[in-house]
Amino acid sequence: MKKLFLIIPYFMISEATAQEIVNYELASAAPEDKMNIIKTNVTGYAFRNINLSYERSINRWFAVNVGFGTVAEGKVPFMNAFLSDEDEKRFQNLKIKATNFTIEPRFYIGKGYGKGFYFAPYYRYSKVSTNTFDFTYDYTAFNTTIPIPLKGLGDANGNSGGLMVGAQFFLNKQHSFVLDFWIAGAHYGSGKGDFSLTSDIVLTPEMQAQLKKEIENLDVPFVDYTVETNANGARIKVDGPWAGFRSGFSLGYRF
Protein backbone atom coordinates (compact mmCIF):
# COMPACT_ATOMS: atom_id res chain seq x y z
CA MET A 1 0.00 0.00 0.00
CA LYS A 2 2.85 2.39 0.84
CA LYS A 3 4.40 1.66 -2.56
CA LEU A 4 1.09 2.54 -4.21
CA PHE A 5 0.99 5.94 -2.51
CA LEU A 6 4.57 6.57 -3.65
CA ILE A 7 3.83 5.59 -7.24
CA ILE A 8 0.67 7.74 -7.63
CA PRO A 9 2.44 11.13 -7.10
CA TYR A 10 5.17 10.03 -9.50
CA PHE A 11 2.67 9.42 -12.27
CA MET A 12 0.87 12.69 -11.50
CA ILE A 13 4.12 14.68 -11.74
CA SER A 14 5.16 12.85 -14.93
CA GLU A 15 1.79 13.50 -16.56
CA ALA A 16 1.87 17.20 -15.62
CA THR A 17 5.40 17.59 -16.97
CA ALA A 18 4.51 15.83 -20.21
CA GLN A 19 1.44 18.05 -20.59
CA GLU A 20 3.58 21.17 -20.11
CA ILE A 21 5.98 19.99 -22.83
CA VAL A 22 3.13 19.31 -25.23
CA ASN A 23 1.53 22.68 -24.52
CA TYR A 24 4.87 24.45 -25.04
CA GLU A 25 5.46 22.70 -28.37
CA LEU A 26 1.96 23.49 -29.56
CA ALA A 27 2.37 27.11 -28.55
CA SER A 28 5.66 27.33 -30.41
CA ALA A 29 4.25 25.72 -33.55
CA ALA A 30 0.88 27.50 -33.65
CA PRO A 31 0.40 30.64 -35.75
CA GLU A 32 -1.29 32.24 -32.71
CA ASP A 33 -3.99 33.66 -34.99
CA LYS A 34 -1.54 36.38 -36.07
CA MET A 35 -1.56 36.03 -39.82
CA ASN A 36 -1.14 39.72 -40.80
CA ILE A 37 1.86 42.06 -40.73
CA ILE A 38 2.01 45.79 -41.49
CA LYS A 39 5.56 47.02 -42.23
CA THR A 40 7.58 49.97 -43.45
CA ASN A 41 11.10 49.90 -44.90
CA VAL A 42 12.94 52.32 -42.60
CA THR A 43 16.06 52.48 -44.82
CA GLY A 44 13.92 53.80 -47.67
CA TYR A 45 13.32 57.08 -45.84
CA ALA A 46 16.97 58.00 -46.41
CA PHE A 47 16.02 58.24 -50.11
CA ARG A 48 12.71 60.08 -49.50
CA ASN A 49 10.82 56.82 -50.06
CA ILE A 50 7.65 56.82 -47.93
CA ASN A 51 6.40 53.25 -48.01
CA LEU A 52 4.03 50.73 -46.48
CA SER A 53 3.52 47.01 -47.04
CA TYR A 54 1.06 44.35 -45.89
CA GLU A 55 1.88 40.67 -45.55
CA ARG A 56 -0.71 37.90 -45.18
CA SER A 57 0.24 34.35 -44.25
CA ILE A 58 -1.73 31.77 -46.23
CA ASN A 59 -0.20 28.77 -44.48
CA ARG A 60 3.03 27.90 -42.66
CA TRP A 61 5.33 28.22 -45.68
CA PHE A 62 3.48 30.60 -48.03
CA ALA A 63 2.56 34.29 -47.69
CA VAL A 64 1.75 37.24 -49.95
CA ASN A 65 3.31 40.66 -49.42
CA VAL A 66 1.94 43.78 -51.14
CA GLY A 67 3.79 47.08 -50.98
CA PHE A 68 3.38 50.68 -52.09
CA GLY A 69 5.94 53.49 -52.03
CA THR A 70 6.16 57.09 -53.10
CA VAL A 71 9.33 59.15 -53.44
CA ALA A 72 8.85 62.83 -52.67
CA GLU A 73 10.07 65.31 -55.28
CA GLY A 74 13.78 66.02 -54.99
CA LYS A 75 17.15 65.81 -56.66
CA VAL A 76 18.11 62.75 -58.69
CA PRO A 77 20.16 60.50 -56.37
CA PHE A 78 23.69 59.61 -57.53
CA MET A 79 23.24 61.69 -60.69
CA ASN A 80 26.98 62.25 -60.96
CA ALA A 81 27.47 58.48 -61.16
CA PHE A 82 26.10 58.33 -64.71
CA LEU A 83 26.62 61.87 -66.05
CA SER A 84 29.84 63.83 -66.46
CA ASP A 85 30.28 67.02 -64.45
CA GLU A 86 29.73 69.09 -67.58
CA ASP A 87 26.49 67.31 -68.47
CA GLU A 88 25.26 67.37 -64.87
CA LYS A 89 25.49 71.18 -64.84
CA ARG A 90 22.85 71.29 -67.57
CA PHE A 91 20.31 69.73 -65.20
CA GLN A 92 20.98 71.84 -62.09
CA ASN A 93 17.32 72.24 -61.15
CA LEU A 94 16.12 68.84 -62.32
CA LYS A 95 13.95 67.07 -59.73
CA ILE A 96 12.04 63.81 -59.85
CA LYS A 97 9.26 62.07 -57.97
CA ALA A 98 8.30 58.42 -58.18
CA THR A 99 5.77 55.80 -57.15
CA ASN A 100 5.98 52.02 -57.10
CA PHE A 101 3.70 49.06 -56.44
CA THR A 102 5.01 45.58 -55.64
CA ILE A 103 3.29 42.22 -55.23
CA GLU A 104 5.51 39.55 -53.72
CA PRO A 105 4.61 35.89 -53.02
CA ARG A 106 6.90 34.59 -50.26
CA PHE A 107 8.08 31.02 -49.72
CA TYR A 108 9.41 30.49 -46.19
CA ILE A 109 12.01 27.81 -45.58
CA GLY A 110 12.39 28.53 -41.85
CA LYS A 111 9.83 28.17 -39.06
CA GLY A 112 7.16 29.76 -41.22
CA TYR A 113 4.07 31.85 -40.49
CA GLY A 114 6.12 34.91 -41.28
CA LYS A 115 9.35 33.82 -39.62
CA GLY A 116 12.69 32.71 -41.05
CA PHE A 117 14.45 32.81 -44.40
CA TYR A 118 12.36 33.21 -47.53
CA PHE A 119 12.55 33.42 -51.31
CA ALA A 120 10.19 35.87 -53.00
CA PRO A 121 9.66 36.22 -56.75
CA TYR A 122 7.95 39.56 -57.32
CA TYR A 123 6.36 41.93 -59.81
CA ARG A 124 6.92 45.70 -59.61
CA TYR A 125 5.32 48.65 -61.39
CA SER A 126 7.24 51.93 -61.21
CA LYS A 127 6.60 55.44 -62.44
CA VAL A 128 9.00 58.41 -62.49
CA SER A 129 8.14 62.00 -63.45
CA THR A 130 10.10 65.25 -63.49
CA ASN A 131 9.44 68.85 -62.60
CA THR A 132 9.72 71.54 -65.26
CA PHE A 133 13.48 71.85 -65.47
CA ASP A 134 15.97 73.96 -67.40
CA PHE A 135 18.25 72.51 -70.05
CA THR A 136 20.82 74.53 -71.96
CA TYR A 137 22.81 73.50 -74.99
CA ASP A 138 25.54 75.46 -76.78
CA TYR A 139 24.85 76.25 -80.42
CA THR A 140 28.04 76.98 -82.38
CA ALA A 141 28.07 78.90 -85.65
CA PHE A 142 30.72 81.07 -87.32
CA ASN A 143 33.10 80.40 -84.42
CA THR A 144 30.57 81.82 -82.00
CA THR A 145 28.86 79.85 -79.22
CA ILE A 146 25.34 80.83 -78.22
CA PRO A 147 23.62 79.17 -75.22
CA ILE A 148 20.09 78.06 -76.14
CA PRO A 149 17.78 77.61 -73.10
CA LEU A 150 14.99 75.01 -73.15
CA LYS A 151 12.34 73.83 -70.70
CA GLY A 152 12.06 70.09 -70.03
CA LEU A 153 9.25 67.91 -68.70
CA GLY A 154 8.32 64.22 -68.85
CA ASP A 155 7.67 60.89 -67.22
CA ALA A 156 8.45 57.19 -67.62
CA ASN A 157 7.04 53.94 -66.28
CA GLY A 158 8.25 50.37 -66.15
CA ASN A 159 7.08 46.83 -65.48
CA SER A 160 9.60 44.37 -64.10
CA GLY A 161 9.97 41.03 -62.37
CA GLY A 162 12.60 39.90 -59.91
CA LEU A 163 13.63 37.79 -56.97
CA MET A 164 14.14 38.73 -53.33
CA VAL A 165 16.05 36.73 -50.73
CA GLY A 166 15.43 37.76 -47.14
CA ALA A 167 14.86 36.79 -43.53
CA GLN A 168 12.16 37.86 -41.08
CA PHE A 169 12.38 37.73 -37.28
CA PHE A 170 10.08 38.28 -34.33
CA LEU A 171 11.43 40.86 -31.88
CA ASN A 172 9.45 40.03 -28.73
CA LYS A 173 7.98 37.00 -26.94
CA GLN A 174 4.45 37.86 -28.07
CA HIS A 175 5.63 37.72 -31.73
CA SER A 176 3.99 41.11 -32.31
CA PHE A 177 6.94 43.14 -33.54
CA VAL A 178 8.82 42.12 -36.68
CA LEU A 179 12.15 42.84 -38.36
CA ASP A 180 12.21 42.05 -42.08
CA PHE A 181 15.74 42.01 -43.56
CA TRP A 182 15.79 42.34 -47.34
CA ILE A 183 19.15 40.67 -47.93
CA ALA A 184 19.17 41.25 -51.69
CA GLY A 185 16.64 41.65 -54.45
CA ALA A 186 16.92 42.57 -58.11
CA HIS A 187 14.38 43.08 -60.88
CA TYR A 188 14.49 43.54 -64.63
CA GLY A 189 11.89 44.43 -67.24
CA SER A 190 10.95 47.04 -69.81
CA GLY A 191 10.05 50.70 -69.59
CA LYS A 192 8.60 53.48 -71.70
CA GLY A 193 8.86 57.23 -71.32
CA ASP A 194 8.20 60.50 -73.08
CA PHE A 195 10.16 63.70 -72.37
CA SER A 196 9.98 67.05 -74.15
CA LEU A 197 12.32 70.04 -74.41
CA THR A 198 10.76 73.29 -75.65
CA SER A 199 12.41 76.56 -76.60
CA ASP A 200 11.13 80.12 -76.96
CA ILE A 201 13.53 80.47 -79.88
CA VAL A 202 12.57 79.04 -83.28
CA LEU A 203 15.24 76.46 -84.05
CA THR A 204 16.71 76.29 -87.53
CA PRO A 205 17.45 72.86 -89.09
CA GLU A 206 21.13 73.30 -88.22
CA MET A 207 20.28 74.15 -84.59
CA GLN A 208 17.99 71.12 -84.44
CA ALA A 209 20.76 68.86 -85.70
CA GLN A 210 23.19 70.10 -83.06
CA LEU A 211 20.58 69.72 -80.31
CA LYS A 212 19.83 66.14 -81.41
CA LYS A 213 23.52 65.28 -81.37
CA GLU A 214 24.06 66.78 -77.91
CA ILE A 215 21.18 64.85 -76.36
CA GLU A 216 22.32 61.59 -77.95
CA ASN A 217 25.84 62.18 -76.64
CA LEU A 218 24.62 62.37 -73.02
CA ASP A 219 25.22 58.61 -72.96
CA VAL A 220 22.89 57.79 -70.06
CA PRO A 221 23.68 54.17 -69.04
CA PHE A 222 21.09 51.37 -69.04
CA VAL A 223 18.61 53.57 -70.94
CA ASP A 224 17.66 53.23 -74.60
CA TYR A 225 16.16 56.37 -76.09
CA THR A 226 15.55 58.08 -79.42
CA VAL A 227 15.56 61.81 -80.13
CA GLU A 228 13.33 63.77 -82.49
CA THR A 229 13.80 67.51 -83.01
CA ASN A 230 11.64 70.23 -84.51
CA ALA A 231 11.47 74.02 -84.65
CA ASN A 232 10.13 74.15 -81.09
CA GLY A 233 12.64 71.84 -79.43
CA ALA A 234 13.02 68.10 -79.00
CA ARG A 235 11.15 64.99 -77.96
CA ILE A 236 12.92 62.08 -76.25
CA LYS A 237 11.26 58.68 -76.26
CA VAL A 238 12.47 56.02 -73.82
CA ASP A 239 11.82 52.41 -74.78
CA GLY A 240 14.14 49.82 -73.34
CA PRO A 241 15.28 47.89 -70.29
CA TRP A 242 14.12 48.77 -66.78
CA ALA A 243 16.11 47.43 -63.83
CA GLY A 244 16.49 47.98 -60.12
CA PHE A 245 17.91 46.67 -56.85
CA ARG A 246 16.27 46.25 -53.43
CA SER A 247 17.82 45.92 -49.98
CA GLY A 248 17.11 47.23 -46.49
CA PHE A 249 15.38 46.73 -43.16
CA SER A 250 11.65 46.88 -42.46
CA LEU A 251 9.99 47.16 -39.08
CA GLY A 252 6.45 45.91 -38.60
CA TYR A 253 3.57 44.91 -36.35
CA ARG A 254 2.03 41.45 -36.48
CA PHE A 255 -1.62 40.89 -35.60
Side-chain angles (χ1 to χ4, degrees):
M1 182 65 70
K2 289 182 180 180
K3 290 182 179 180
L4 180 61
F5 282 110
L6 291 172
I7 292 172
I8 291 174
Y10 171 78
F11 279 108
M12 291 177 64
I13 293 171
S14 298
E15 184 178 353
T17 303
Q19 187 63 41
E20 288 179 3
I21 294 172
V22 170
N23 289 338
Y24 174 78
E25 291 178 348
L26 288 174
S28 301
E32 302 176 8
D33 295 328
K34 295 180 179 180
M35 308 289 278
N36 309 284
I37 305 174
I38 295 291
K39 294 173 285 187
T40 185
N41 182 357
V42 293
T43 50
Y45 291 91
F47 302 97
R48 310 190 309 272
N49 186 356
I50 302 168
N51 63 91
L52 191 67
S53 65
Y54 167 71
E55 179 177 341
R56 170 70 181 183
S57 294
I58 307 302
N59 54 36
R60 177 181 295 279
W61 56 269
F62 181 67
V64 177
N65 192 78
V66 178
F68 175 80
T70 179
V71 178
E73 186 175 285
K75 290 185 177 181
V76 182
F78 312 114
M79 189 171 178
N80 57 0
F82 52 86
L83 286 179
S84 66
D85 292 340
E86 183 180 345
D87 288 336
E88 187 180 359
K89 290 177 182 178
R90 300 180 179 184
F91 298 94
Q92 282 294 321
N93 65 337
L94 172 62
K95 295 181 180 180
I96 63 169
K97 58 183 177 180
T99 57
N100 61 74
F101 170 78
T102 308
I103 182 165
E104 180 182 287
R106 291 187 168 191
F107 299 89
Y108 283 89
I109 59 174
K111 293 187 177 182
Y113 289 114
K115 183 178 182 180
F117 286 93
Y118 61 82
F119 293 92
Y122 64 90
Y123 160 79
R124 168 167 280 202
Y125 169 80
S126 307
K127 182 176 181 179
V128 179
S129 57
T130 75
N131 64 331
T132 301
F133 62 92
D134 296 315
F135 178 85
T136 302
Y137 90 99
D138 296 327
Y139 169 63
T140 302
F142 307 107
N143 296 321
T144 303
T145 300
I146 304 171
I148 306 296
L150 299 101
K151 293 288 185 181
L153 183 67
D155 60 62
N157 61 78
N159 296 278
S160 52
L163 178 67
M164 169 75 75
V165 178
Q168 190 158 263
F169 310 95
F170 300 149
L171 299 178
N172 61 343
K173 293 182 180 180
Q174 292 75 30
H175 297 177
S176 298
F177 295 101
V178 170
L179 172 65
D180 187 3
F181 176 27
W182 298 356
I183 298 173
H187 50 275
Y188 183 86
S190 62
K192 292 182 179 293
D194 198 344
F195 298 85
S196 63
L197 293 171
T198 57
S199 173
D200 293 333
I201 301 171
V202 177
L203 303 181
T204 65
E206 185 179 352
M207 295 168 75
Q208 294 176 39
Q210 283 195 25
L211 175 60
K212 184 175 189 296
K213 186 176 180 180
E214 287 215 19
I215 297 173
E216 291 175 342
N217 288 342
L218 288 174
D219 193 26
V220 181
F222 311 115
V223 177
D224 293 337
Y225 61 93
T226 58
V227 183
E228 299 174 359
T229 54
N230 53 52
N232 298 316
R235 184 178 182 184
I236 301 99
K237 293 183 178 181
V238 177
D239 188 357
W242 189 281
F245 180 79
R246 298 170 66 199
S247 185
F249 294 91
S250 292
L251 293 175
Y253 179 74
R254 183 170 177 258
F255 60 97

